[in-house]
Amino acid sequence: MASQKIAILSVYDKTGLLDLAKGLTEQNVRILASGGTSRMLREAGFAVEDISAITKAPEMLGGRVKTLHPAVHAGILARDIESDDKDLADQNINKVDYVVCNLYPFKETIAKPNVSIPEAVEEVDIGGVTLIRAAAKNHKRVTILSDPNDYAGFLKELQSGSISEASRNTYALKAFEHTADYDTAISGFFREQYAGAGDKQLTLRYGANPHQKPASAFTSEGALPFKALSGAPGYINLLDALNAWPLVKELKQALGKPAAASFKHVSPAGAAIGLPLTETERKVYFVNDIPGIEDSALAQAYARARGADRMSSFGDMIALSDVVDVPTATIISKEVSDGVIAPGYEEAALEILKKKKGGKYLVLQIDPEYNPGPTETRTVYGINLQQHRNDVEITPKSFTTIITPKDGTLSEAAARDLTVATITLKYTQSNSVCYATNGQVIGLGAGQQSRIHCTRLAGDKADNWWMRFNERVLGLKWKKGTKRADKSNAIDLLVSGELPKDGPEREAFEAVFEEVPAAFTEEEREAWMKQLTDVAVSSDAFFPFIDNVFRAAKSGVKYIAAPSGSQNDGPVHDTATTLGITFVEQNVRLFHH
């Protein structure tokens, strides 16, 4: 067997090729090359042999078959072991030490306007990918160069006598990334071309904004776990739907009751489980005219989820844990909403939803048995970020470590409400704090840089929710024909204390009433707020200062769950004790971005 080192060169990008060949020649490396690479080297005066010198077979099929031969790949894949040496000797094949290869410009080709499928097919490299993968697989012995930027460093090491293990490892990683990126581009192109032939890809109207085109949803393994029964999803619709669905699925699993969520801009506006509604709750949530709601726990759950924060829920994406029935669909038909995702729909309920928005309302059906893999990846500014999916399970049993009071206990209702709040936080943009009572979210602060601002925002929403139950709000005299959205807006102005005093906004406010309500006085507000109690609060990370506890207490909070770890844990816990609040350690941080 020959002792001379052998290099196989087959490159599309010929940057630095002549300098590389010169360095290889100076080190007495035998150079084998194919096609255009061989011609360029020969024309430059280098001693180069065609691949056919070892394959004993000519290039064929217009150059599509050049290096696909045992004489090439056995030489690359052979290891320094006795059995491999014997196999090579029996076939009179020499080991290959260096492979220099990069691939056809598939990305550049498909970036051209109106590129055809035949044009793209011609740029699908076969032999090059095989060379690279074979050499990278055997990088313990073989050096693979797929990037011309590495030629200079390689030659410097070659001149010193050998290529280090660290360099071979680095080159191999780069080679695997090169072929992975290449295959991703190819699969992406053909996924777009053949989207109608399968269920792995869904073309979206546009991305986060109308100018962000093209946009798509796809999976690299198996079919998409959902399908559109009506309407066409957008990018943000799916961001909301695919965050909202696991939330309600987990609520149902944790608490054993149907669950619903109202999602806006990748955070919940509300979430709830299905508990019976009082007559007052039906009126507050605008569902006192829904036939059959008393028999539908799913409809009750959505009424609560939508009713938590009607202003934020305007134009929501809805997630429902169970098969959608007619009462639930009837509520949805009356609200301004972008779409719904659920595991199924009763035939009559689906017909109701299909009529919404002139037939364009988005109705997604998801496979309830679908479970994503343990790893999730996203791309930000061209950089891939990867992490283990947040698969921590939250149940009422998650709240057994009571910090204060030392002899404190949690009622079943308190553990339920902490579960609702905490699972909701798991799918809320951080920082986030959630207030819950009676199996539903009543206030959520999402995406704030400061913890106290989360607590205040969520607390203010909880206060507004409770003020809507005041008899003065329940007795508002609306003008006939006032729309639900206008009612919600007017109520929000009234209960939040943001009533305009004069001008066009004041005129618009007064225009919806038969009798214009007076603003709440501070005394009225304080007296009513004192009646709100037994509220549970959960935080996605520790409370760093006591101001959070004081703010929570103002909204009737009696239970707080949060991770520990702050240097200020002692004062925070002491403040909870002083205010009569049970503080529970929730030992998992739940940041969500």
Side-chain angles (χ1 to χ4, degrees):
M1 304 295 287
S3 59
Q4 185 182 21
K5 298 290 187 180
I6 295 176
I8 290 179
L9 279 59
S10 180
V11 295
Y12 178 85
D13 180 357
K14 296 177 175 57
T15 301
L17 178 63
L18 299 183
D19 289 337
L20 176 66
K22 179 181 178 182
L24 291 171
T25 301
E26 289 174 349
Q27 297 302 313
N28 192 35
V29 175
R30 181 186 179 189
I31 299 176
L32 301 171
S34 65
T37 305
S38 179
R39 286 194 299 275
M40 182 176 179
L41 294 177
R42 188 171 291 108
E43 289 171 0
F46 288 101
V48 58
E49 300 174 69
D50 289 335
I51 291 292
S52 58
I54 61 171
T55 64
K56 309 304 181 185
E59 293 184 13
M60 63 181 71
L61 304 181
R64 293 194 299 279
V65 176
K66 297 187 286 282
T67 60
L68 297 172
H69 194 280
V72 173
H73 290 286
I76 294 172
L77 289 167
R79 296 168 178 162
D80 289 327
I81 57 178
E82 185 177 345
S83 58
D84 282 8
D85 288 341
K86 182 178 184 304
D87 286 343
L88 294 185
D90 289 344
Q91 301 300 321
N92 195 28
I93 295 173
N94 293 319
K95 288 180 180 176
V96 174
D97 304 279
Y98 315 113
V99 173
V100 183
C101 184
N102 53 61
L103 306 173
Y104 296 163
F106 189 85
K107 282 186 177 180
E108 291 81 351
T109 297
I110 62 174
K112 297 176 183 176
N114 304 316
V115 64
S116 68
I117 291 177
E119 287 174 320
V121 165
E122 285 304 307
E123 302 304 331
V124 176
D125 202 317
I126 304 300
V129 172
T130 310
L131 283 174
I132 292 173
R133 291 189 68 86
K137 175 182 175 72
N138 200 24
H139 65 274
K140 183 176 181 180
R141 183 184 66 78
V142 178
T143 302
I144 171 62
L145 295 173
S146 58
D147 182 355
N149 290 320
D150 293 327
Y151 294 171
F154 163 77
L155 289 176
K156 186 174 181 180
E157 278 198 90
L158 186 63
Q159 290 166 4
S160 70
S162 65
I163 308 302
S164 69
E165 179 181 4
S167 293
R168 291 197 308 277
N169 293 347
T170 299
Y171 298 150
L173 172 59
K174 185 174 286 190
F176 284 129
E177 290 173 338
H178 184 45
T179 57
D181 181 66
Y182 192 72
D183 286 338
T184 297
I186 293 172
S187 60
F189 174 80
F190 286 103
R191 190 183 298 113
E192 287 184 11
Q193 301 303 314
Y194 303 146
D199 50 10
K200 295 171 67 69
Q201 150 112 8
L202 182 63
T203 299
L204 306 180
R205 298 193 307 275
Y206 49 79
N209 298 289
H211 66 275
Q212 291 177 264
K213 298 178 181 179
S216 63
F218 61 90
T219 175
S220 57
E221 295 183 12
L224 287 168
F226 62 86
K227 57 185 176 180
L229 305 182
S230 176
Y235 185 90
I236 293 176
N237 293 148
L238 290 184
L239 284 177
D240 285 342
L242 297 176
N243 274 281
W245 164 251
L247 191 164
V248 299
K249 182 179 181 181
E250 290 182 34
L251 279 178
K252 172 76 178 287
Q253 291 172 341
L255 297 171
K257 294 183 181 298
S262 171
F263 245 72
K264 279 288 294 292
H265 297 299
V266 207
S267 281
I273 57 172
L275 297 177
L277 297 165
T278 65
E279 288 297 326
T280 301
E281 287 173 325
R282 290 190 198 182
K283 191 169 184 180
V284 170
Y285 299 151
F286 292 3
V287 293
N288 52 341
D289 60 344
I290 303 299
I293 192 171
E294 65 278 0
D295 298 319
S296 171
L298 187 66
Q300 294 160 6
Y302 180 58
R304 291 179 181 280
R306 176 82 184 202
D309 182 358
R310 290 190 59 81
M311 297 295 286
S312 296
S313 286
F314 186 86
D316 62 349
M317 189 73 202
I318 302 162
L320 301 164
S321 66
D322 290 39
V323 172
V324 179
D325 54 22
V326 169
T328 307
T330 303
I331 299 174
I332 296 172
S333 72
K334 295 175 178 291
E335 302 288 8
V336 176
S337 170
D338 279 356
V340 58
I341 185 169
Y345 301 84
E346 292 180 357
E347 185 175 345
L350 183 58
E351 288 306 308
I352 291 172
L353 296 174
K354 282 185 173 181
K355 293 176 182 177
K356 192 171 173 66
K357 286 189 173 182
K360 295 182 179 180
Y361 186 67
L362 178 60
V363 180
L364 297 176
Q365 182 172 354
I366 189 162
D367 177 3
E369 301 303 318
Y370 169 73
N371 285 301
T375 302
E376 57 187 15
T377 305
R378 66 188 299 183
T379 303
V380 180
Y381 203 59
I383 306 301
N384 293 322
L385 303 178
Q386 195 171 81
Q387 65 175 355
H388 184 86
R389 186 169 58 86
N390 186 359
D391 54 8
V392 63
E393 293 186 6
I394 308 295
T395 73
K397 293 180 181 179
S398 302
F399 307 100
T400 57
T401 305
I402 296 177
I403 303 297
T404 182
K406 295 188 182 301
D407 59 349
T409 58
L410 284 183
S411 67
E412 183 177 333
R416 173 201 64 202
D417 293 341
L418 287 175
T419 301
V420 169
T422 306
I423 289 177
T424 299
L425 291 177
K426 186 179 172 185
Y427 297 97
T428 301
Q429 297 299 295
S430 299
N431 286 328
S432 58
V433 171
C434 185
Y435 293 59
T437 192
N438 198 26
Q440 72 170 90
V441 170
I442 61 171
L444 189 65
Q448 302 301 302
Q449 290 79 11
S450 165
R451 181 71 46 185
I452 184 57
H453 290 157
C454 294
T455 308
R456 289 173 184 165
L457 177 60
D460 290 349
K461 290 186 175 185
D463 293 352
N464 290 352
W465 170 84
W466 178 238
M467 288 299 297
R468 285 158 51 201
F469 285 81
N470 186 279
E471 59 184 10
R472 284 226 281 124
V473 179
L474 294 173
L476 290 172
K477 305 298 182 182
W478 304 101
K479 282 187 177 178
K480 187 176 181 180
T482 301
K483 295 180 180 179
R484 296 162 77 90
D486 292 332
K487 289 181 180 180
S488 296
N489 185 59
I491 290 172
D492 187 72
L493 288 172
L494 178 63
V495 302
S496 66
E498 298 291 335
L499 273 182
K501 294 181 179 180
D502 51 34
E505 189 178 9
R506 178 70 189 191
E507 294 172 5
F509 173 77
E510 294 181 353
V512 299
F513 294 104
E514 290 290 350
E515 298 178 15
V516 179
F520 282 100
T521 66
E522 199 61 38
E523 291 75 20
E524 284 180 307
R525 188 179 298 276
E526 288 183 7
W528 184 249
M529 287 306 304
K530 286 180 180 178
Q531 298 180 52
L532 177 61
T533 187
D534 293 331
V535 175
V537 158
S538 188
S539 174
D540 65 358
F542 59 69
F543 281 136
F545 299 106
I546 62 176
D547 52 4
N548 294 280
V549 185
F550 282 122
R551 176 60 191 89
K554 291 180 181 179
S555 297
V557 169
K558 293 299 179 185
Y559 310 96
I560 291 177
S564 59
S566 168
Q567 293 181 345
N568 221 25
D569 277 348
V572 168
H573 298 157
D574 291 343
T575 303
T577 300
T578 300
L579 297 175
I581 295 174
T582 300
F583 199 104
V584 184
E585 182 176 28
Q586 199 292 96
N587 61 7
V588 178
R589 195 181 77 176
L590 292 171
F591 281 171
H592 181 67
H593 291 275

